[in-house]
Amino acid sequence: MAITSIKSTYSLDVESVRMLEALAQRWQVSKSEVLRRAIRIAAGSGNESNETALDALERLQSCVRERHVDLSAWEREVKAERLEAE
């Protein structure tokens, strides 16, 4: 059974084209196949799209509380790492 394909034209920014080409090379497939896979992945994760930003924030905060993460210590560590990188 033949698979129907439809040619389409889309405009992408330079960065997106570079990433598309890099993925095609890494996966050793065509750019069209990279786009098909990306669309399938995005469509498959559609169940999570009902979550609002506030829901995600509340879930993150809950996770941090459950794990007893010291956010003040984490902030100090991140600042120190950033200063070292400069």
Side-chain angles (χ1 to χ4, degrees):
M1 182 166 114
I3 297 175
T4 304
S5 62
I6 300 169
K7 283 194 171 224
S8 299
T9 302
Y10 299 94
S11 297
L12 299 172
D13 58 277
V14 174
E15 181 69 19
S16 295
V17 171
R18 287 182 180 149
M19 288 188 282
L20 176 63
E21 290 171 344
L23 284 171
Q25 187 175 20
R26 183 182 329 155
W27 295 345
Q28 298 180 346
V29 298
S30 67
K31 290 181 273 187
S32 294
E33 178 61 21
V34 171
L35 291 171
R36 282 190 288 272
R37 290 179 185 185
I39 291 167
R40 282 189 207 108
I41 290 168
S45 65
N47 298 338
E48 298 169 9
S49 65
N50 294 333
E51 181 178 56
T52 66
L54 183 58
D55 292 334
L57 176 61
E58 288 173 352
R59 199 165 41 86
L60 174 63
Q61 289 173 333
S62 174
C63 181
V64 167
R65 276 192 303 274
E66 289 171 5
R67 295 178 184 201
H68 306 291
V69 175
D70 183 348
L71 293 176
S72 297
W74 177 79
E75 181 182 12
R76 286 189 301 274
E77 290 173 16
V78 169
K79 283 182 180 180
E81 287 175 6
R82 288 180 182 162
L83 287 173
E84 287 176 15
E86 290 180 354

